[in-house]
């Protein structure tokens, strides 16, 4: 189990217990964290699970695969620390990680 | 007074509505009734990674079982809603109990369309399958053995995904399609030809313009041993060890019509997901809704639609009326190819492609005048993201610039 803190664009915080081996997206889903839509169910097809990985944790998260990178480059409200949360696997090294959510996953 | 919401169908849309209501602060009671053995799960992997054996069953569940209890959502599985008593506002369940509701949401999805052949009860044949649920995959798995001859009837996305898995697992696959090309209703000829070529290179055989005339049965009359077809006037028997029928979905509208609600290719709802009875909503695959995208009515079979429609219904139940503005989109996976589709191409005038089909990375844009109605994107995820914006924004484009790979898609607007 690792703790992950999700911070909505409004500032609302949600700290969840994530299971090691699951994705950060799934940890949000299991705990009904608002702001992550995850239309494709975790297969890097939709970019509606977009998050900003807090700077302090960036180096601890393995870099994106090319497909994820391409999706992110053209997502909405992109920042240098943007990632698809379905492509980040929870490990003990990520215990305490903070991720922030964009204003909207769909640009609307 | 605590409001009672009853959701019929624990699938993608029903599950999303239940959890979405709680997420947004709904404090009434929520009961999710489903006739399957499982909590709400994703169906797309059924014909992809799950059939391939790459994803465990729990990996399909949208949320683990315990999440529902933790958020005070009553999940009643293996239970059918048999009828709706609109006068007293009760749902009547298969176990005989009656659930009172203030709001009832029908999220009943659909069932696989049956193949009807004169003189044969296809549903009783032991080696003829359809694929809609985890239970379907479980019964199909045992027959999915390398070297067996699989005949797939229907060349839509699901049939093609199953063909890809089967070919990779070493079955001998023949796919029968009634139209002269694959995916004829949803894509242009360029994409149809490309997909067909990819499958052929993996050993899949095709019979296009094929009309299924009947099945040849074994002596017990319980197994199909061949599919009899007529292909442009030529009769042929395709030998089969197992047959998969993938000829589309029929929406589950029986409850609604028995309750006197309007049904026309789906349960008829307004832009707020309401039927004519203000206490009853319908969402997802089973609903026929007005579409901001086409301007007409539409029934969509996709996960993004199920999620969006559940969001609209949650807003309605919470008393905030927010119609859907979403653009339809869909994805598929075949072999190592990633396909992403946005919009609906019907009525397009010309198709412009970018990239090179021989490199297995290209996009096809379907235009009407200077507007992109839809796009099929293969192996170019950045194009998909850009196309989604252009289609959603109804942005006029310059077709010449669209065809020029040197110009980024973000800069093709007229
Ligand atoms: C093999 C396959 C592959 C797919 N691939 C993709 C894809 O790649 N991308 C995509 O976007 N979409 C895909 N889809 C479509 C997508 O899965 C559906 O659009 C989505 O599941 C619709 O959700 P729904 O809740 O409306 O219906 P469903 O998920 O079908 O759920 C309806 C549920 O209601 C239950 N039910 C019905 N009547 C009753 C009753 N009276 N009482 C209790 N329960 C009842 C049903 O048993 C079912 O569990 C695929 C579908 C299949 C079958
Ligand atoms: S859930 Fe679709 S890209 Fe992550």
């Amino acid at each position: 189990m690792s703790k992950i803190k999700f911070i909505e664009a409004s500032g609302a915080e949600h700290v969840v217990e994530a299971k090691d081996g699951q994705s950060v997206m799934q940890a949000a889903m299991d705990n009904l964290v608002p702001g992550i839509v995850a239309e494709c169910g975790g297969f890097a097809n939709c970019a509606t699970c977009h998050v900003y990985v807090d700077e302090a944790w960036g180096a601890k998260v393995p870099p994106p695969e090319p497909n994820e990178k391409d999706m992110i480059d053209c997502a909405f409200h992109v920042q240098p620390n943007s990632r698809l949360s379905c492509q980040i696997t929870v490990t003990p090294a990520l215990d305490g990680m903070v991720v922030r959510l964009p204003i909207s996953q769909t640009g609307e | 007074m605590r409001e009672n919401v009853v959701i019929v169908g624990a699938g993608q849309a029903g599950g999303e509505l239940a959890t979405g209501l709680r997420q947004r602060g709904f404090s009434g009671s929520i009961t999710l009734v489903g006739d399957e053995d499982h909590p709400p799960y994703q169906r797309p992997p059924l014909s992809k990674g799950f059939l391939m054996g790459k994803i465990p069953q729990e990996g399909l569940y949208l949320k683990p079982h315990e999440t529902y209890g933790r958020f005070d959502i009553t999940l009643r599985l293996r239970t059918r809603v048999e009828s709706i008593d609109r006068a007293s506002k009760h749902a009547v369940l298969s176990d005989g109990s009656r659930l009172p509701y203030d709001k009832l949401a029908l999220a009943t999805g659909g069932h696989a369309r049956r193949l009807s052949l004169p003189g044969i009860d296809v549903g009783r044949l032991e080696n003829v399958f359809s694929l809609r649920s985890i239970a379907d995959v479980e019964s199909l798995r045992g027959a999915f053995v390398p070297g067996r001859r699989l005949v797939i009837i229907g060349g839509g996305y699901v049939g093609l995904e199953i063909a890809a898995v089967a070919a990779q697992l070493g079955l001998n696959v023949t796919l029968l399609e009634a139209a002269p090309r694959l995916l004829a209703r949803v894509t242009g000829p360029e994409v149809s030809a490309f997909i067909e070529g990819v499958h052929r290179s993996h050993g899949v055989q095709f019979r296009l313009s094929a009309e299924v005339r009947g099945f040849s049965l074994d002596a017990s009359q319980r197994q199909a041993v061949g599919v009899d077809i007529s292909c442009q006037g030529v009769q042929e028997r395709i030998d089969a060890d197992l047959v998969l029928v993938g000829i589309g979905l029929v929406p589950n509208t029986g409850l609604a019509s028995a309750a006197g609600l309007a049904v026309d290719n789906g349960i008829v709802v307004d832009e707020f997901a309401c039927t004519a009875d203000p206490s009853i909503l319908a969402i997802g695959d089973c609903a026929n809704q007005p579409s901001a995208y086409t301007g007409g009515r539409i029934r969509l079979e996709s996960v993004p639609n199920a999620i969006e429609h559940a969001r609209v219904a949650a807003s309605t139940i919470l008393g905030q009326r927010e119609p859907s503005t979403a653009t339809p989109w869909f994805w598929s996976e075949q072999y190592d190819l990633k396909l992403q589709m946005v919009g609906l191409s019907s009525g397009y005038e010309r198709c412009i492609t970018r990239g090179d089909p021989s490199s297995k990375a290209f996009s096809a844009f379907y235009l009407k005048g200077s507007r992109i109605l839809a796009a099929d994107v293969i192996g170019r995820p950045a194009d998909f993201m850009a196309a989604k914006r252009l289609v959603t924004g109804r942005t006029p484009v310059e077709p010449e610039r669209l065809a020029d790979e040197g110009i980024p898609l973000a800069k093709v607007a007229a």
Side-chain angles (χ1 to χ4, degrees):
Chain A
M1 285 288 195
S2 300
K3 279 202 165 45
I4 297 187
K5 185 190 275 187
F6 294 88
I7 306 178
E8 291 186 65
S10 67
E13 297 189 356
H14 308 264
V15 178
V16 310
E17 294 280 353
K19 296 187 199 81
D20 294 328
Q22 73 175 170
S23 70
V24 170
M25 175 280 274
Q26 193 62 48
M29 289 286 129
D30 291 2
N31 292 284
L32 270 54
V33 174
I36 293 188
V37 184
E39 290 181 333
C40 79
F43 295 93
N45 275 314
C46 68
T48 64
C49 64
H50 174 199
V51 298
Y52 310 120
V53 173
D54 194 81
E55 309 296 348
W57 297 88
K60 298 208 170 87
V61 181
E65 302 278 333
N67 179 68
E68 179 190 341
K69 219 185 147 305
D70 284 356
M71 292 289 293
I72 276 291
D73 282 347
C74 303
F76 295 95
H77 318 294
V78 182
Q79 298 178 6
N81 57 341
S82 285
R83 291 296 301 265
L84 297 181
S85 58
C86 69
Q87 301 300 304
I88 303 175
T89 305
V90 176
T91 60
L94 299 187
D95 189 19
M97 181 161 80
V98 177
V99 300
R100 287 165 217 280
L101 305 181
I103 297 177
S104 151
Q105 295 285 1
T106 55
E108 279 148 26
Chain B
M1 195 199 70
R2 220 171 162 232
E3 215 184 351
N4 290 321
V5 170
V6 172
I7 303 169
V8 188
Q12 183 93 42
E16 195 72 27
L17 174 57
T19 53
L21 278 170
R22 271 293 176 262
Q23 213 168 37
R24 291 168 59 175
F26 178 77
S27 60
S29 84
I30 303 174
T31 309
L32 183 56
V33 186
D35 58 1
E36 293 189 63
D37 291 344
H38 307 278
Y41 59 89
Q42 318 179 43
R43 292 178 202 278
L46 294 181
S47 52
K48 309 177 181 84
F50 184 63
L51 184 61
M52 194 78 184
K54 284 201 288 196
I55 301 174
Q57 190 170 290
E58 291 72 40
L60 299 175
Y61 294 172
L62 290 165
K63 283 142 190 150
H65 214 283
E66 56 96 15
T67 292
Y68 299 91
R70 195 145 56 85
F71 290 93
D72 193 22
I73 293 165
T74 307
L75 186 56
R76 295 186 66 160
L77 301 177
R78 292 172 284 276
T79 309
R80 277 186 67 75
V81 172
E82 298 289 359
S83 62
I84 307 166
D85 181 345
R86 280 173 60 192
S88 73
K89 290 203 189 178
H90 279 80
V92 182
L93 309 189
S94 46
D95 63 9
S97 55
R98 291 167 63 87
L99 279 181
Y101 67 81
D102 297 298
K103 287 278 178 342
L104 181 87
L106 296 166
T108 50
H111 57 274
R113 175 170 288 121
R114 286 276 195 92
L115 185 66
S116 74
L117 291 172
I120 301 179
D121 182 358
V122 175
R124 286 180 59 96
L125 298 174
E126 290 162 357
N127 63 342
V128 177
F129 303 91
S130 56
L131 205 170
R132 177 85 204 147
S133 63
I134 291 179
D136 290 340
V137 177
E138 280 166 351
S139 53
L140 176 68
R141 273 244 162 87
F144 238 58
V145 175
R148 294 229 177 128
R149 294 160 303 180
L150 164 66
V151 176
I152 298 175
I153 302 176
Y157 279 114
V158 171
L160 289 166
E161 288 172 358
I162 295 167
V165 172
Q168 290 175 94
L169 292 176
L171 284 84
N172 294 318
V173 186
T174 307
L175 189 144
L176 314 176
E177 166 57 48
R181 61 182 177 89
L182 300 174
L183 300 168
R185 275 186 314 124
V186 288
T187 70
E190 296 83 356
V191 173
S192 298
F194 169 76
I195 300 276
E196 186 184 332
V198 171
H199 280 272
R200 283 191 189 275
S201 75
H202 283 87
V204 175
Q205 304 204 41
F206 291 97
R207 297 290 186 282
L208 303 175
S209 306
E211 186 194 335
V212 175
R213 286 299 186 75
F215 283 176
S216 304
L217 305 182
D218 71 350
S220 74
Q221 305 279 302
R222 294 210 302 264
Q223 302 261 340
V225 294
V227 182
D228 302 310
I229 62 168
S230 158
C231 218
Q232 283 153 343
V234 182
Q235 313 289 324
E236 190 184 359
R237 165 166 310 171
I238 316 278
D239 293 332
D241 299 307
L242 65 151
V243 178
L244 197 132
V245 181
I247 53 172
L249 172 129
V250 180
N252 289 330
T253 55
L255 276 180
S257 42
L261 299 168
V263 167
D264 175 14
N265 178 32
I267 303 165
V268 176
V269 295
D270 65 13
E271 64 268 52
F272 306 108
C274 289
T275 66
D277 179 335
S279 310
I280 303 182
L281 296 82
I283 54 174
D285 282 15
C286 70
N288 179 332
Q289 59 181 315
S291 161
Y293 169 74
T294 65
R297 284 198 154 265
I298 196 169
R299 189 177 65 75
L300 288 169
E301 297 167 14
S302 78
V303 169
N305 173 64
I307 293 177
E308 173 67 8
H309 216 186
R311 188 193 63 77
V312 170
S315 299
T316 302
I317 291 171
L318 291 165
Q320 312 149 355
R321 289 161 80 78
E322 292 170 29
S324 169
T325 51
T327 305
W329 79 275
F330 197 78
W331 74 94
S332 178
E333 274 158 41
Q334 293 163 41
Y335 310 102
D336 54 354
L337 293 181
K338 198 187 240 323
L339 291 83
Q340 295 162 301
M341 290 71 76
V342 58
L344 303 170
S345 60
S346 62
Y348 79 95
E349 293 161 351
R350 65 191 278 206
C351 173
I352 292 179
T353 56
R354 262 188 175 230
D356 179 6
S358 67
S359 70
K360 294 191 177 174
F362 77 108
S363 307
F365 297 91
Y366 302 98
L367 278 81
K368 183 166 191 179
S370 62
R371 208 186 122 199
I372 304 175
L373 294 180
D376 292 331
V377 177
I378 293 150
R380 291 170 62 104
D383 276 14
F384 170 70
M385 298 298 289
K388 217 172 164 189
R389 288 187 195 200
L390 292 168
V391 171
T392 304
R394 298 165 184 258
T395 317
V397 297
E398 282 183 39
E400 294 67 35
R401 292 170 70 81
L402 189 57
D404 181 349
E405 263 227 89
I407 301 173
L409 268 184
K411 301 218 169 89
V412 298

